[in-house]
């Protein structure tokens, strides 16, 4: 099974919870799945303010995107960065 976790501000839905100081992070911002066989992550943006890759590319909302381990994600803006190890 692929481990999955959710990032956001709502502790009822997110495993990794951000404080309300992160104004642009959604209650359920994105989900992340890891495939141990390929060492790849799959990220799905669930937010209204977007999830971005290091190259500033915005993920398509609701679409599963493959990203490499060690990718830096930006949630809504550059103030909230998450590195996938």
């Amino acid at each position: 099974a692929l481990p999955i976790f959710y990032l956001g501000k709502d502790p009822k839905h997110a495993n990794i919870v951000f404080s309300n100081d992160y104004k642009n992070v959604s209650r359920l911002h994105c989900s992340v799945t890891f495939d141990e066989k390929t060492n790849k992550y799959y990220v799905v943006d669930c937010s209204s303010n977007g999830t971005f890759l290091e190259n500033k590319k915005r993920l398509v909302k609701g679409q599963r995107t493959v990203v490499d381990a060690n990718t830096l994600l930006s949630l809504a803006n550059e103030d909230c960065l998450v590195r996938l190890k």
Side-chain angles (χ1 to χ4, degrees), residues 35-77:
D35 186 338
E36 293 172 353
K37 291 178 185 165
T38 62
N39 200 37
K40 301 271 185 192
Y41 286 93
Y42 297 89
V43 180
V44 178
D45 176 47
C46 309
S47 71
S48 42
N49 291 323
T51 301
F52 301 84
L53 299 179
E54 290 172 87
N55 60 6
K56 309 293 184 219
K57 179 185 175 201
R58 186 176 182 152
L59 301 183
V60 177
K61 186 174 180 175
Q63 181 177 309
R64 196 167 87 142
T65 303
V66 181
V67 297
D68 292 325
N70 212 31
T71 294
L72 187 66
L73 297 176
S74 175
L75 306 187
N77 56 38

Side-chain angles (χ1 to χ4, degrees), residues 18 21-25 74-82:
F18 294 88
D21 295 339
Y22 294 99
K23 304 270 185 245
N24 295 318
V25 173
S74 175
L75 306 187
N77 56 38
E78 293 180 17
D79 294 336
C80 186
L81 301 173
V82 177

